[in-house]
Structures are given as C-alpha cells and as structure tokens.
Amino acid sequence: MIIIGNTFSTIYEIVKKIPRGKVATYGQIALYAGNPRLSQVVGFALHSNPDRENIPCHRVVNRFGDISSSFAFGGENEQRELLLAEGVEFVNQTKVNLEKCLWDGE
DNA sequence: TTAATGACCTATC
DNA sequence: CGATAGGCCATTA
C-alpha cells in the first residue's frame, strides 16, 4: 500500500478499522490519529475520500452521533440507510444510538 | 508562498 | 438554557 502522508493515512486506517454495525466520531478518530484537534482534518480527509469504496465514511459521524448534513455523499437518507443496513440503531432521522453503536476502539 | 476554508470541538456570554 | 466566537490542524486555490 502506498503511504501518501502521515495524517491522512492514519485517519484512513482508523476509519477502515471501524467494525460493521458501529460508528465513530470525528473527535474519536482524531484522538486515535494522535491529535484530538485533528477532528477538522478528519472531516477533510473523508471529504477528499480518495478510497470511498474502501473507506466507510458513512460510519463517521459528529460528536452527537448526528450525520453530517453538509456532505451527504448520496444524500442523508442514503447514509442513514447504509448504517441501518449494518445494524446501527437510530434515535431519529439523522441521529445514531451512540450508546450502543459507538465504536469502542477495538 | 500566502491566504482562506472546512463532514469539528470547546468554552464563554 | 440557547446562541456566538474562537482555536486547532491540514488541504486547496
């Protein structure tokens, strides 16, 4: 595999490690990446999304478990459907049950 | 190279 | 309690 850069690579690796049926927050990923303030960069990394086929960006949500309405790769509804298909519980139309589906970090 | 922006988070008024 | 401002890091133009 080709290492493009430290931050991006790390973020991608972490996102790819998210188990099926669970979700992770930007801050959490940033924390695992090495810096809690990378949360913004995490969003940027996923925004670039060079490997959207291998990177489950739909499993990444903000700190409240709310889906990003600004991006919505295929529409907010699409992301919600993908998460539901993996067994992620929702508390409402755009919010996931972090209590049950939050990634523990392996 | 510099400046501006961003799928965020936290603290303060 | 609700809304606003600022700050952090990296990428893009």
Side-chain angles (χ1 to χ4, degrees):
Chain A
M1 87 173 224
I2 307 172
I3 302 177
I4 305 171
N6 304 322
T7 317
F8 262 53
S9 301
T10 308
I11 293 170
Y12 294 145
E13 288 298 308
I14 295 169
V15 175
K16 285 197 272 188
K17 281 178 185 171
I18 300 174
R20 178 174 169 279
K22 294 213 169 181
V23 296
T25 66
Y26 293 96
Q28 194 170 18
I29 294 169
L31 187 67
Y32 277 84
N35 198 324
R37 283 136 194 148
L38 286 176
S39 52
Q40 192 98 13
V41 181
V42 174
F44 224 106
L46 295 173
H47 190 189
S48 298
N49 208 347
D51 292 296
R52 59 187 265 174
E53 307 235 347
N54 296 311
I55 300 174
C57 46
H58 56 267
R59 291 182 194 157
V60 186
V61 294
N62 63 16
R63 202 175 81 58
F64 300 95
D66 199 32
I67 299 174
S68 311
S69 55
S70 304
F71 171 49
F73 55 94
E76 307 171 51
N77 183 280
E78 191 64 40
Q79 182 167 5
R80 180 167 57 82
E81 287 293 309
L82 285 168
L83 292 173
L84 284 170
E86 295 185 348
V88 178
E89 295 183 27
F90 273 71
V91 296
N92 69 42
Q93 273 279 311
T94 57
K95 240 181 187 174
V96 302
N97 192 332
L98 293 177
E99 296 296 316
K100 282 192 170 186
C101 304
L102 180 60
W103 181 37
D104 302 281
E106 299 183 275

Short mmCIF file of all heavy atoms in Angstrom, two decimals, chain A residues 26 40 46-47 63 71, chain B residues 5-10:
data_model
loop_
_atom_site.label_atom_id
_atom_site.label_comp_id
_atom_site.label_asym_id
_atom_site.label_seq_id
_atom_site.Cartn_x
_atom_site.Cartn_y
_atom_site.Cartn_z
N TYR A 26 -15.71 11.99 14.81
CA TYR A 26 -14.54 12.66 14.25
C TYR A 26 -13.49 12.87 15.35
O TYR A 26 -12.32 12.61 15.15
CB TYR A 26 -14.93 14.02 13.67
CG TYR A 26 -15.81 13.88 12.47
CD1 TYR A 26 -17.20 13.97 12.59
CD2 TYR A 26 -15.27 13.63 11.22
CE1 TYR A 26 -18.01 13.84 11.48
CE2 TYR A 26 -16.08 13.50 10.11
CZ TYR A 26 -17.45 13.61 10.25
OH TYR A 26 -18.26 13.48 9.16
N GLN A 40 -11.11 18.28 12.62
CA GLN A 40 -11.43 19.02 11.41
C GLN A 40 -10.76 18.38 10.21
O GLN A 40 -11.33 18.25 9.14
CB GLN A 40 -10.93 20.46 11.54
CG GLN A 40 -11.48 21.34 10.47
CD GLN A 40 -12.69 22.12 10.95
OE1 GLN A 40 -12.96 22.19 12.11
NE2 GLN A 40 -13.40 22.71 10.04
N LEU A 46 -11.89 12.69 4.86
CA LEU A 46 -13.02 11.94 4.32
C LEU A 46 -13.67 12.69 3.17
O LEU A 46 -14.23 12.11 2.26
CB LEU A 46 -14.04 11.71 5.44
CG LEU A 46 -13.51 10.81 6.56
CD1 LEU A 46 -14.51 10.76 7.68
CD2 LEU A 46 -13.23 9.42 6.03
N HIS A 47 -13.59 14.00 3.23
CA HIS A 47 -14.16 14.81 2.15
C HIS A 47 -13.42 14.53 0.85
O HIS A 47 -14.01 14.39 -0.21
CB HIS A 47 -14.06 16.29 2.51
CG HIS A 47 -14.82 17.15 1.57
ND1 HIS A 47 -14.74 18.52 1.59
CD2 HIS A 47 -15.68 16.85 0.58
CE1 HIS A 47 -15.53 19.02 0.63
NE2 HIS A 47 -16.10 18.03 0.01
N ARG A 63 -19.82 14.44 16.97
CA ARG A 63 -19.77 14.04 18.36
C ARG A 63 -21.15 13.68 18.91
O ARG A 63 -21.29 12.96 19.87
CB ARG A 63 -19.18 15.18 19.20
CG ARG A 63 -18.63 14.64 20.47
CD ARG A 63 -17.95 15.70 21.26
NE ARG A 63 -18.90 16.48 21.99
CZ ARG A 63 -19.77 15.98 22.89
NH1 ARG A 63 -19.83 14.72 23.10
NH2 ARG A 63 -20.55 16.77 23.55
N PHE A 71 -22.41 17.23 3.89
CA PHE A 71 -21.76 16.38 2.89
C PHE A 71 -22.78 15.48 2.21
O PHE A 71 -23.16 15.69 1.08
CB PHE A 71 -20.68 15.56 3.57
CG PHE A 71 -20.12 14.52 2.66
CD1 PHE A 71 -19.72 14.85 1.37
CD2 PHE A 71 -19.99 13.22 3.09
CE1 PHE A 71 -19.19 13.89 0.53
CE2 PHE A 71 -19.46 12.27 2.25
CZ PHE A 71 -19.06 12.60 0.97
P DT B 5 -12.83 32.51 3.41
OP1 DT B 5 -13.99 33.00 2.66
OP2 DT B 5 -12.53 33.00 4.77
"O5'" DT B 5 -12.91 30.91 3.47
"C5'" DT B 5 -12.95 30.18 2.24
"C4'" DT B 5 -12.89 28.68 2.51
"O4'" DT B 5 -11.61 28.33 3.03
"C3'" DT B 5 -13.95 28.20 3.50
"O3'" DT B 5 -14.69 27.13 2.91
"C2'" DT B 5 -13.15 27.69 4.69
"C1'" DT B 5 -11.79 27.39 4.10
N1 DT B 5 -10.68 27.56 5.05
C2 DT B 5 -9.88 26.47 5.32
O2 DT B 5 -10.05 25.38 4.83
N3 DT B 5 -8.86 26.72 6.22
C4 DT B 5 -8.56 27.90 6.84
O4 DT B 5 -7.62 27.97 7.62
C5 DT B 5 -9.45 29.00 6.52
C7 DT B 5 -9.23 30.33 7.14
C6 DT B 5 -10.44 28.79 5.65
P DG B 6 -16.06 26.78 3.60
OP1 DG B 6 -17.02 26.48 2.53
OP2 DG B 6 -16.41 27.74 4.65
"O5'" DG B 6 -15.64 25.41 4.31
"C5'" DG B 6 -15.17 24.32 3.52
"C4'" DG B 6 -14.70 23.17 4.42
"O4'" DG B 6 -13.46 23.55 5.05
"C3'" DG B 6 -15.70 22.83 5.53
"O3'" DG B 6 -15.97 21.43 5.56
"C2'" DG B 6 -15.01 23.27 6.81
"C1'" DG B 6 -13.54 23.24 6.44
N9 DG B 6 -12.74 24.23 7.19
C8 DG B 6 -13.04 25.54 7.43
N7 DG B 6 -12.15 26.17 8.14
C5 DG B 6 -11.18 25.21 8.37
C6 DG B 6 -9.98 25.29 9.09
O6 DG B 6 -9.49 26.26 9.68
N1 DG B 6 -9.28 24.09 9.11
C2 DG B 6 -9.71 22.94 8.49
N2 DG B 6 -8.92 21.88 8.60
N3 DG B 6 -10.85 22.85 7.81
C4 DG B 6 -11.53 24.00 7.80
P DA B 7 -17.29 20.98 4.89
OP1 DA B 7 -17.00 20.52 3.55
OP2 DA B 7 -18.20 22.11 5.09
"O5'" DA B 7 -17.77 19.72 5.72
"C5'" DA B 7 -18.95 19.78 6.47
"C4'" DA B 7 -19.01 18.58 7.39
"O4'" DA B 7 -19.08 17.39 6.60
"C3'" DA B 7 -17.78 18.44 8.28
"O3'" DA B 7 -18.16 18.03 9.57
"C2'" DA B 7 -16.96 17.36 7.62
"C1'" DA B 7 -18.08 16.48 7.04
N9 DA B 7 -17.62 15.71 5.88
C8 DA B 7 -16.95 16.13 4.77
N7 DA B 7 -16.69 15.18 3.92
C5 DA B 7 -17.23 14.05 4.50
C6 DA B 7 -17.29 12.72 4.11
N6 DA B 7 -16.80 12.26 2.99
N1 DA B 7 -17.89 11.85 4.93
C2 DA B 7 -18.41 12.29 6.07
N3 DA B 7 -18.42 13.52 6.55
C4 DA B 7 -17.81 14.37 5.71
P DC B 8 -18.72 19.15 10.59
OP1 DC B 8 -19.87 18.53 11.24
OP2 DC B 8 -18.77 20.51 10.11
"O5'" DC B 8 -17.47 19.02 11.55
"C5'" DC B 8 -16.82 17.78 11.78
"C4'" DC B 8 -15.99 17.88 13.05
"O4'" DC B 8 -15.18 19.06 12.96
"C3'" DC B 8 -16.85 18.01 14.30
"O3'" DC B 8 -16.47 17.04 15.26
"C2'" DC B 8 -16.60 19.39 14.82
"C1'" DC B 8 -15.29 19.80 14.17
N1 DC B 8 -15.29 21.23 13.85
C2 DC B 8 -14.45 22.05 14.58
O2 DC B 8 -13.73 21.56 15.46
N3 DC B 8 -14.45 23.38 14.33
C4 DC B 8 -15.24 23.89 13.37
N4 DC B 8 -15.19 25.20 13.16
C5 DC B 8 -16.10 23.05 12.61
C6 DC B 8 -16.10 21.75 12.87
P DC B 9 -17.35 16.95 16.57
OP1 DC B 9 -17.34 15.57 17.08
OP2 DC B 9 -18.65 17.63 16.34
"O5'" DC B 9 -16.48 17.86 17.56
"C5'" DC B 9 -15.13 17.47 17.86
"C4'" DC B 9 -14.53 18.39 18.92
"O4'" DC B 9 -14.38 19.72 18.37
"C3'" DC B 9 -15.42 18.51 20.17
"O3'" DC B 9 -14.68 18.25 21.34
"C2'" DC B 9 -15.94 19.93 20.13
"C1'" DC B 9 -14.97 20.68 19.25
N1 DC B 9 -15.63 21.71 18.40
C2 DC B 9 -15.15 23.02 18.46
O2 DC B 9 -14.20 23.29 19.19
N3 DC B 9 -15.75 23.98 17.70
C4 DC B 9 -16.77 23.65 16.90
N4 DC B 9 -17.31 24.63 16.17
C5 DC B 9 -17.27 22.33 16.83
C6 DC B 9 -16.68 21.39 17.59
P DT B 10 -15.39 18.28 22.77
OP1 DT B 10 -14.74 17.26 23.63
OP2 DT B 10 -16.85 18.25 22.55
"O5'" DT B 10 -15.00 19.73 23.33
"C5'" DT B 10 -13.67 20.22 23.12
"C4'" DT B 10 -13.53 21.62 23.71
"O4'" DT B 10 -13.97 22.61 22.77
"C3'" DT B 10 -14.36 21.80 24.99
"O3'" DT B 10 -13.53 22.30 26.02
"C2'" DT B 10 -15.44 22.81 24.60
"C1'" DT B 10 -14.88 23.51 23.38
N1 DT B 10 -15.92 23.87 22.37
C2 DT B 10 -15.91 25.15 21.86
O2 DT B 10 -15.09 26.00 22.20
N3 DT B 10 -16.88 25.41 20.93
C4 DT B 10 -17.86 24.55 20.47
O4 DT B 10 -18.66 24.91 19.64
C5 DT B 10 -17.80 23.22 21.06
C7 DT B 10 -18.80 22.20 20.64
C6 DT B 10 -16.84 22.95 21.97
#
